[in-house]
Each structure stands twice: as structure tokens, then as C-alpha cells.
Amino acid sequence: MLTSIEYLVPLLHVRDIDRVSEFFCKLGFREQWRMGEPADRVMLVFGPHGEHVIHLLRLESADSKGARLYLQVPDVDAVYAGCVQQSIVVTDCADRPYGMRDFDVTGPEGTLIVSGSQLEHE
């Protein structure tokens, strides 16, 4: 299971991703990147080295609920194996186009917890 967390990243469900991003930028955050056309995911960072992160996710549907939390961990495969060993239902652990290897777990109240590790750059 978890032995260390490198970063804890909230993922906020939003209807108007541009408006919400603009709001956070007024607070002092800056956009690091956008995905999709039109954007369905935005990464906002704060701090001199971008060490504080918020992800905005455009709502998939009007009835989307719950929250999401991203746990960046040193060894996602070990966390995945620990979850499987504890009979926790998980999605497949896979490399993603946003530079992470990760998997999802849904908690009892609908909270989506994503655990992942940064992929090595070649």
C-alpha cells in the first residue's frame, strides 16, 4: 500500500474550464498545460517551481459528482500490487499521454483516487 506520497493533487470538476482557469490565474496560479480541443483538462501551478498543483476537469455529464484526488507516489506499481493484494477494485495500471503511469480506485462515497508515478523521459 502507500508508503510515501510525493505530491497530493486535487482534481476539480468544473463546467466552464476557461472561466475557472482564469479565476485561479487571477489568484496567482498559472496554466502549465491544456489537453483536448476544446480543453477538457487544465493543469494550474503555483509557486516559484510550480510545486503546488490543481487540475481542472470539465464535467463529463451534468450529474458528475464526488471528488478526485491524485496521489503522486514513488512506485505506482508497488501501490497497485498492494491494492490488488487487499482486494481493492482498481483500473488497469497504464502509461498515460500526460507523462504518468497510474490507476484509479473509487472510494465508498464515490471519491476517485488516482495513484501514479512520473514516467521516465527518454
Side-chain angles (χ1 to χ4, degrees):
M1 299 303 283
L2 291 172
T3 58
S4 175
I5 297 174
E6 296 172 334
Y7 298 102
L8 185 69
V9 180
L11 294 98
L12 306 178
H13 290 182
V14 300
R15 294 185 197 284
D16 187 336
I17 205 163
D18 295 323
R19 191 169 135 240
V20 175
S21 179
E22 181 181 334
F23 170 79
F24 276 100
C25 288
K26 286 180 180 179
L27 290 175
F29 283 82
R30 66 186 183 280
E31 275 195 22
Q32 185 74 25
W33 50 256
R34 290 177 159 250
M35 288 181 70
E37 186 57 46
D40 59 2
R41 185 180 195 131
V42 171
M43 178 178 168
L44 300 165
V45 297
F46 182 85
H49 306 289
E51 58 269 27
H52 304 289
V53 177
I54 295 174
H55 284 234
L56 305 178
L57 302 174
R58 190 167 32 89
L59 286 172
E60 292 85 22
S61 67
D63 63 344
S64 289
K65 58 185 175 186
R68 294 181 183 192
L69 188 61
Y70 199 102
L71 306 174
Q72 186 167 329
V73 297
D75 185 354
V76 70
D77 292 311
V79 175
Y80 179 84
C83 288
V84 170
Q85 184 179 27
Q86 291 294 320
S87 300
I88 296 172
V89 177
V90 297
T91 62
D92 286 336
C93 192
D95 296 351
R96 309 294 179 195
Y98 44 84
M100 301 294 289
R101 177 172 176 76
D102 58 28
F103 70 95
D104 301 346
V105 172
T106 302
E109 295 288 328
T111 301
L112 180 69
I113 302 165
V114 184
S115 296
S117 295
Q118 193 165 6
L119 293 171
E120 298 293 324
H121 297 270
E122 294 183 12

